[in-house]
Amino acid sequence: MSKTESSAPGKFQLIDRILGKKAGGGEAAQANPARRAAIRREIPEAWTRFDRHPAYEKMLVSKAASQRLGLDNPFFRVHEGQAGATTRIGGRDYINFASYNYLGLAGHPQVDQAAKEAIDRYGTTVSASRLVAGERPVQRDLERGLAQVYGTEDCVVFVSGHATNVSAIGHLFGPKDLIVHDSLIHNSVLMGIQLSGAARRSFPHNDVATLDRLLAEIRGRFERVLIVVEGIYSMDGDMPDLPALIELKRRHQAFLMVDEAHALGVLGEKGHGLHEHFGVDGRDVDIWMGTLSKTLSGCGGYIAGERALVEQLKYAAPGFVYSVGIAPPMAAASLAALDLMRAEPQRVAQLKQRGRFFLQQARAAGLDTGLSQGYSVIPVIVGSSLKAVRLSNSLFEHGVNVQPIIHPAVEEKAARLRFFLSSEHTEAQIVEAIGLIQRLI
């Protein structure tokens, strides 16, 4: 046996303990290689194959059921160009409601040009973490721009939006802490909580009164407490009561974190997000999180807040320290999109108008739009996963691309189509889509 094998914990040590107990000690086990080999052979084959993994087998069952029902797979369709209010799939043009391109800046000439110039100057990658490879001016310019939007001291950009929540929460909190989140919070937050080892509690969606009672009961059992909500909820299109949450977090001596992935560029007159919508000082929220892949036309995530928070993440958060720095063309594209958002507030105003128009038309047609407040995300709830997939496929056949959200992403009775609005959508496109839903549902 190699030194590595004998020193590594795992199944071989377990076998040693089993053999030792049955054979009267470790020496007897070592003297019985045939017995050891027999136990190794008893390991089920399924434990050594990905095609026998329970999650994969469950997926195959779902695929087989879909084929029996004659359902086409609505996922992973190949787009042949820029995806905004319209897109091209399989040589055909579609009205597109499956893109986070809220302000129509993905593919904007200034955004594309900024990315091209960054490639010419810096190349396509910085090739290592920023702790190792150092900074590029465009990375810091983007962070300063985001900090200005939130009125905070500083900001740090990660290369993945999902990993931003996982790494930041996982690093900042631990087993002696409590994290309380809205029941509809994003998966990335849940994964961050799991990594942190902190105690976890949820409260009913947007129910600040229940959150208040929960913290009054258990806050004293923990050291640090974090409350996590979203600026706009990505499945339902509604928002939390930020002033009430700020008052509550102060009273219970907790931190407040807001995930702005779907709120930046959408809420507030200038698109600065939830704090601008409510007229709240950005410094009243301890942790602002957001993504670069939606309004800002890039890829990655960010944390904005006080300098002590940002510096700690830059020097110690695994998702930043051990990951390559954001690619210069991505940083440049997001910075250009941020500049355009601030220079052209009419884009934000038009997005709001289109969102309100869609919501009005949908409700007038008798469609169930759930909790949506008519901003960037509007669901049409149909009540079953089968209905959602069938309706999505039918709309696709008629030239409208919109994705179904099915169980387990939502409860079965809440299965839906999820429409993402862009400032580039026309009222005619919205009327056409609503009319088709009425006819096909």
Side-chain angles (χ1 to χ4, degrees):
M1 186 188 301
S2 70
K3 180 179 179 181
T4 301
E5 182 181 348
S6 63
S7 61
K11 63 183 180 183
F12 295 135
Q13 287 189 0
L14 177 61
I15 291 170
D16 287 339
R17 288 198 295 272
I18 293 171
L19 287 171
K21 183 176 289 186
K22 289 188 176 181
E27 292 182 5
Q30 293 293 333
N32 193 349
R35 172 73 174 154
R36 182 177 186 135
I39 289 179
R40 285 184 182 175
R41 285 196 297 271
E42 290 172 9
I43 294 172
E45 182 185 8
W47 293 359
T48 67
R49 292 172 51 177
F50 288 117
D51 64 346
R52 298 287 301 279
H53 193 285
Y56 182 71
E57 291 181 335
K58 183 178 180 181
M59 184 185 71
L60 291 179
V61 170
S62 297
K63 281 188 172 182
S66 296
Q67 290 171 355
R68 285 196 301 272
L69 293 168
L71 297 177
D72 292 331
N73 184 353
F75 307 109
F76 298 104
R77 288 176 173 141
V78 178
H79 296 247
E80 296 161 3
Q82 295 175 8
T86 61
T87 190
R88 191 168 182 82
I89 301 171
R92 179 182 177 184
D93 292 329
Y94 291 82
I95 302 172
N96 184 38
F97 294 99
S99 170
Y100 302 139
N101 190 11
Y102 294 136
L103 298 184
L105 297 175
H108 189 285
Q110 287 179 228
V111 174
D112 290 352
Q113 185 61 34
K116 292 171 185 176
E117 290 176 0
I119 290 175
D120 291 340
R121 182 173 180 180
Y122 304 108
T124 57
T125 178
V126 295
S127 301
S129 76
R130 288 163 64 183
L131 199 67
V132 172
E135 303 281 330
R136 304 299 185 274
V138 68
Q139 296 167 331
R140 288 299 296 141
D141 289 345
L142 174 59
E143 289 167 341
R144 279 190 288 267
L146 287 165
Q148 289 171 6
V149 164
Y150 290 101
T152 59
E153 290 181 338
D154 208 348
C155 176
V156 57
V157 167
F158 293 71
V159 292
S160 159
H162 191 281
T164 300
N165 272 334
V166 173
S167 195
I169 294 172
H171 169 70
L172 293 169
F173 299 91
K176 295 182 180 180
D177 302 327
L178 169 69
I179 300 177
V180 187
H181 62 84
D182 189 287
S183 60
L184 299 185
I185 205 69
H186 193 266
N187 169 270
S188 57
V189 171
L190 299 178
M191 295 299 98
I193 297 170
Q194 182 176 322
L195 178 63
S196 76
R200 178 176 74 88
R201 300 288 189 278
S202 68
F203 59 92
H205 181 52
N206 280 340
D207 189 342
V208 177
T210 298
L211 172 61
D212 191 5
R213 290 193 295 272
L214 174 66
L215 290 177
E217 179 182 348
I218 67 172
R219 197 276 173 251
R221 304 177 196 171
F222 302 93
E223 291 185 358
R224 297 168 189 82
V225 171
L226 175 68
I227 303 164
V228 193
V229 297
E230 294 184 28
I232 286 183
Y233 285 88
S234 60
M235 291 291 179
D236 292 272
D238 62 338
M239 70 184 76
D241 184 343
L242 184 60
L245 288 167
I246 291 171
E247 187 280 327
L248 185 149
K249 75 102 178 178
R250 286 172 174 164
R251 184 154 41 83
H252 291 287
Q253 297 178 287
F255 294 107
L256 176 61
M257 178 177 184
V258 180
D259 181 332
E260 288 267 287
H262 294 271
L264 181 70
V266 176
L267 297 179
E269 288 188 12
K270 299 177 182 177
H272 288 194
L274 193 65
H275 75 97
E276 186 187 18
H277 176 84
F278 282 104
V280 167
D281 191 324
R283 293 170 295 183
D284 289 338
V285 171
D286 303 285
I287 306 174
W288 291 104
M289 179 272 173
T291 58
L292 306 177
S293 54
K294 300 173 179 66
T295 289
L296 297 186
S297 307
C299 186
Y302 60 86
I303 297 287
E306 64 176 277
R307 186 157 289 112
L309 164 70
V310 171
E311 287 193 354
Q312 181 179 177
L313 293 175
K314 289 181 75 170
Y315 279 92
F320 185 85
V321 173
Y322 298 105
S323 185
V324 67
I326 184 172
M330 286 292 95
S334 291
L335 178 59
L338 184 65
D339 290 341
L340 281 166
M341 181 193 84
R342 300 175 77 176
E344 300 178 4
Q346 66 269 21
R347 291 178 179 271
V348 180
Q350 184 156 302
L351 172 61
K352 290 177 181 176
Q353 190 278 332
R354 296 295 188 264
R356 287 193 299 268
F357 184 77
F358 189 105
L359 189 64
Q360 290 165 0
Q361 293 291 309
R363 288 178 175 173
L367 302 178
D368 182 358
T369 55
L371 302 172
S372 180
Q373 294 175 261
Y375 289 96
S376 54
V377 182
I378 302 178
V380 171
I381 300 171
V382 297
S384 83
S385 296
L386 179 59
K387 287 181 180 179
V389 174
R390 279 181 169 163
L391 182 56
S392 173
N393 284 339
S394 295
L395 286 167
F396 190 75
E397 291 172 5
H398 287 80
V400 174
N401 183 49
V402 59
Q403 289 296 296
I405 305 297
I406 61 179
H407 181 77
V410 294
E411 294 181 29
E412 178 63 20
K413 64 182 179 181
R416 64 195 63 190
L417 301 185
R418 183 172 55 162
F419 289 80
F420 293 109
L421 275 294
S422 167
S423 60
E424 303 298 297
H425 280 115
T426 66
E427 290 189 354
Q429 289 171 332
I430 292 169
V431 168
E432 181 179 348
I434 297 297
L436 283 168
I437 297 170
Q438 272 188 292
R439 184 150 54 90
L440 297 170
I441 199 166

